[in-house]
Amino acid sequence: MRTEPSPGNLPAREHLPAGNAGTPVLDVVIPVYNEEKDLQPCVLRLHEHLARTFPYAFRITIADNASTDTTPLVAARLEAEIPEVRAFRLEQKGRGRALRTVWSASDAPVLAYMDVDLSTDLNALLPLVAPLISGHSDLAIGSRLARSSRVVRGAKREFISRTYNLILRGSLQARFSDAQCGFKAIRRDVAQVLLPLVEDTGWFFDTEMLVLAERAGLRIHEVPVDWVDDPDSTVHIVKTATDDLKGVWRVGRALATGSLALDRLARPFGDDPRDREISGVPKGLARQLVGFCVVGALSTLFYLLLYSGFRTFSESQVANALALLVSAVANTAANRRLTFGVRGRSGAVKHQAQGLVVFGIGLALTSGSLAALNAATADPAHSTELAVLIAANLAATVLRFLLFRAWVFPDRRDESPSTVVASHTPAVPVGPASPVYATAPQSPYSTTSDPYGPTSAPYGTTHSPHDHQTWGDATMQLQPVRPNDHDPRDAR
């Protein structure tokens, strides 16, 4: 996973205030590969819709990732004819690569993308970006699986889509409903911190970005969309599905080992109401109880399976000790990561050692129960042994939670309080002559070491970091554009 330097922690979300109408508020990226037939109708239709319905200035960016047909020529012609259209060319394929490169270099405070086939009804575009402009959410996605969505597509794609999202829910604990709908938006300040953590450059880019954002506690807004399947889609379903499953495994492993610096995406105190001090409510107790119960139930099942296996070749006491030892190590690791939110390898050995002490207490309880059972009955039935062990484990579970919470994984936030300083990446001032892109500062994709990042600002000149205009509130000054108002620089 990526570990490049990040611009810093996110500031509190705020509404984008009205201001200069010449600065684009929204940058809609259309990633394309060999779309010479569909590109022009798509751009014209999207431009007409935005000019008619969107109340702020906007930009449409065509991100051509290594097309081999006449797509670059079509994109260049559209850029020359329509002031709000920009064309950008990458020499390597990959939708994720195209989005990351253009988003990293854009100066618009709200970034979005949609597929060139415009399968999604454009009436959902304003509801998609409105929560980002208002400061309510960090990311927004269109969902074809929401109850109020109206979708027309074949049974094969419907099955694949729902199966994939079930896999995400089961393996990565994702709570968003539709990871692959080509209709998403993100605030620029969030993108600057989140994109360096995203490794995938293809179709899994969306899923990885959403999973990391959700795990970091960012708010993802879902918009039900009307969606009509494109029968001429060039997506290779088998290869895409295989790559997605590989991505799920990679991200799941990184999350399990704590190798992702998700604390970079933390917001300052008070932005999340769950961070506020409320008298009479212990910090995280309800969540920890739920997590501990789930882990405990799975650990008990794992323990019983191990005990049954070990019992086939050893006596009950030996089988119990071996099964409890193995399940205790797994239980401590699972509670460390899932229940108490401890990431990384720091202190892992100490925690396992303390967990073994807790294991010893559980061993004493269960072994004592078995000893009492054997003393009472010369040859107890296997089902009786299991029932006694379940009762003993329930008693040990209560004590285990108390010891974990108070001794193994204590909450030390009150002992060493830290102040979160909201740092923010400044924005490059855009001159009044024309809305141009500027190189995103501190972006790992602006150096020659990145094979798919631009070496300089793709649409403008490179600015010194000292020339940047600070975004004090993570926004830029914007002014709503009414239908009868015209920018004197705008030819339309």
Side-chain angles (χ1 to χ4, degrees):
M1 304 301 291
R2 295 189 175 275
T3 57
E4 289 93 337
S6 158
N9 294 100
L10 291 171
R13 289 187 300 265
E14 294 187 17
H15 192 289
L16 299 178
N20 182 12
T23 302
V25 180
L26 174 66
D27 192 349
V28 182
V29 180
I30 304 175
V32 293
Y33 174 73
N34 289 348
E35 298 287 355
E36 58 183 1
K37 176 182 177 182
D38 296 332
L39 179 56
Q40 180 168 326
C42 165
V43 172
L44 294 178
R45 180 181 164 194
L46 175 60
H47 180 267
E48 187 275 334
H49 178 84
L50 287 171
R52 178 170 48 86
T53 65
F54 194 66
Y56 297 101
F58 62 88
R59 177 190 299 128
I60 300 173
T61 301
I62 303 169
D64 173 25
N65 43 310
S67 293
T68 56
D69 59 2
T70 61
T71 296
L73 299 179
V74 177
R77 183 172 69 250
L78 290 169
E79 180 181 26
E81 295 175 354
I82 306 175
E84 291 83 7
V85 174
R86 296 291 181 270
F88 181 70
R89 166 80 176 182
L90 290 88
E91 298 303 329
Q92 290 180 288
K93 291 179 60 177
R95 183 180 68 169
R97 176 180 289 112
L99 291 175
R100 186 175 59 198
T101 302
V102 176
W103 278 356
S104 297
S106 179
D107 61 336
V110 177
L111 311 169
Y113 95 88
M114 62 181 60
D115 292 334
V116 69
D117 55 17
L118 294 186
S119 295
T120 304
D121 183 7
L122 291 179
N123 287 325
L125 182 55
L126 185 55
L128 182 80
V129 301
L132 309 186
I133 295 175
S134 69
H136 175 271
S137 302
D138 299 294
L139 300 91
I141 65 174
S143 175
R144 300 163 296 184
L145 303 180
R147 291 186 176 181
S148 57
S149 298
R150 293 176 290 187
V151 177
V152 178
R153 62 176 168 180
K156 179 180 178 181
R157 286 184 175 270
E158 181 76 11
F159 174 78
I160 293 174
S161 178
R162 291 189 178 274
T163 301
Y164 178 67
N165 283 280
L166 285 176
I167 291 174
L168 294 181
R169 288 176 177 269
S171 59
L172 299 180
Q173 300 178 347
R175 295 189 299 273
F176 48 85
S177 65
D178 193 350
Q180 292 183 311
C181 181
F183 195 70
K184 296 182 175 68
I186 185 172
R187 286 177 65 108
R188 178 176 177 262
D189 57 330
V190 176
Q192 287 182 329
V193 185
L194 179 59
L195 293 183
L197 301 177
V198 180
E199 180 177 335
D200 191 79
T201 60
W203 293 96
F204 188 69
F205 173 87
D206 303 51
T207 302
E208 185 172 357
M209 179 180 68
L210 291 173
V211 169
L212 299 186
E214 188 175 71
R215 286 299 187 94
L218 301 183
R219 175 173 285 160
I220 301 175
H221 178 74
E222 294 197 18
V223 178
V225 297
D226 297 344
W227 194 85
V228 179
D229 189 17
D230 179 14
D232 299 324
S233 175
T234 58
V235 177
H236 195 292
I237 296 179
V238 176
K239 182 179 185 305
T240 300
T242 302
D243 292 342
D244 286 347
L245 292 177
K246 291 179 180 178
V248 169
W249 169 256
R250 173 176 54 79
V251 172
R253 182 177 58 184
L255 291 172
T257 59
S259 60
L260 287 168
L262 296 181
D263 56 332
R264 297 177 183 176
L265 299 174
R267 289 195 178 276
F269 177 83
D271 187 66
D272 190 334
R274 294 170 297 182
D275 294 334
R276 299 171 188 167
E277 296 286 350
I278 303 177
S279 59
V281 179
K283 293 181 180 179
L285 177 59
R287 183 189 61 80
Q288 290 178 358
L289 277 173
V290 172
F292 185 81
C293 289
V294 172
V295 172
L298 295 176
S299 297
T300 301
L301 179 60
F302 182 50
Y303 161 79
L304 294 175
L305 292 175
L306 289 175
Y307 177 81
S308 298
F310 291 143
R311 191 68 176 84
T312 59
F313 59 84
S314 62
E315 62 177 6
S316 61
Q317 293 286 8
V318 175
N320 173 63
L322 290 175
L324 197 57
L325 175 62
V326 175
S327 61
V329 172
N331 180 276
T332 300
N335 276 306
R336 181 178 187 269
R337 176 65 183 87
L338 301 177
T339 303
F340 298 96
V342 181
R343 299 186 178 95
R345 299 180 180 179
S346 177
V349 176
K350 176 184 176 182
H351 293 154
Q352 284 292 350
Q354 292 172 314
L356 289 177
V357 174
V358 179
F359 150 75
I361 298 175
L363 178 62
L365 286 174
T366 54
S367 297
S369 301
L370 282 176
L373 176 64
N374 291 327
T377 306
D379 188 19
H382 183 65
S383 59
T384 305
E385 288 183 348
L386 290 181
V388 170
L389 288 175
I390 291 174
N393 267 285
L394 288 176
T397 296
V398 176
L399 182 59
R400 186 182 302 120
F401 176 76
L402 296 176
L403 289 175
F404 273 173
R405 181 174 171 84
W407 179 48
V408 183
F409 308 109
D411 188 351
R412 303 186 182 278
R413 284 179 289 182
D414 293 334
E415 300 176 11
S416 56
S418 59
T419 302
V420 179
V421 179
S423 60
H424 191 66
T425 304
V428 178
V430 181
S434 62
V436 297
Y437 282 108
T439 302
Q442 302 183 20
S443 171
Y445 313 114
S446 60
T447 63
T448 55
S449 61
D450 194 324
Y452 32 82
T455 57
S456 61
Y459 302 114
T461 58
T462 303
H463 296 269
S464 167
H466 302 290
D467 296 335
H468 293 163
Q469 174 184 348
T470 303
W471 278 11
D473 58 356
T475 66
M476 61 174 57
Q477 299 300 312
L478 309 169
Q479 181 176 354
V481 180
R482 291 177 290 275
N484 296 327
D485 291 344
H486 296 281
D487 189 330
R489 301 185 304 275
D490 194 339
R492 64 182 175 90

